[in-house]
């Protein structure tokens, strides 16, 4: 059981570092006041294909790594209680 704990901790550290890196690579999506003044249209080609862009892929990986981080946190807390 101790070996399994160390393996999960190693994976946990890798996921933590990857999550930090991916989150830092994302650009800020806030349009602020300029977006409110110009009126951003959500019915254009970019918005329809946003998942295929670099930003879309980074967002998807951030969600995947965040869920993995949460699951590993729960697993580690259960392992340390036992």
């Amino acid at each position: 059981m101790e070996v399994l704990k160390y393996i999960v901790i190693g994976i946990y550290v890798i996921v933590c570092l990857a999550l930090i890196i991916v989150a830092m690579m994302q650009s800020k999506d806030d349009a602020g006041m300029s977006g409110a003044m110009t009126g951003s249209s959500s019915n254009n080609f970019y918005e329809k294909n946003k998942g295929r862009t670099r930003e879309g892929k980074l967002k998807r990986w951030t969600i995947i790594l965040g869920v993995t981080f949460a699951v590993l946190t729960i697993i580690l807390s259960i392992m340390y209680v036992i």
Side-chain angles (χ1 to χ4, degrees):
M1 191 70 167
E2 289 294 320
V3 175
L4 186 61
K5 278 185 190 179
Y6 291 124
I7 292 172
V8 173
I9 289 173
I11 295 170
Y12 187 71
V13 169
I14 292 170
V15 168
C16 289
L17 292 175
L19 183 60
I20 291 169
I21 291 169
V22 170
M24 295 295 289
M25 289 173 59
Q26 288 184 0
S27 63
K28 188 175 178 183
D29 280 343
D30 188 20
M33 192 63 166
S34 65
M37 293 295 198
T38 59
S40 59
S41 174
S42 63
N43 194 15
N44 57 19
F45 182 76
Y46 177 72
E47 290 295 325
K48 290 180 182 177
N49 294 310
K50 197 172 186 178
R52 295 183 184 157
T53 62
R54 180 178 182 262
E55 290 87 13
K57 291 178 183 177
L58 285 174
K59 185 176 181 180
R60 184 174 351 135
W61 275 106
T62 304
I63 292 170
I64 291 169
L65 288 170
V67 170
T68 306
F69 175 79
V71 170
L72 285 174
T73 301
I74 294 169
I75 291 171
L76 279 172
S77 65
I78 291 171
M79 290 176 86
Y80 274 99
V81 169
I82 295 177

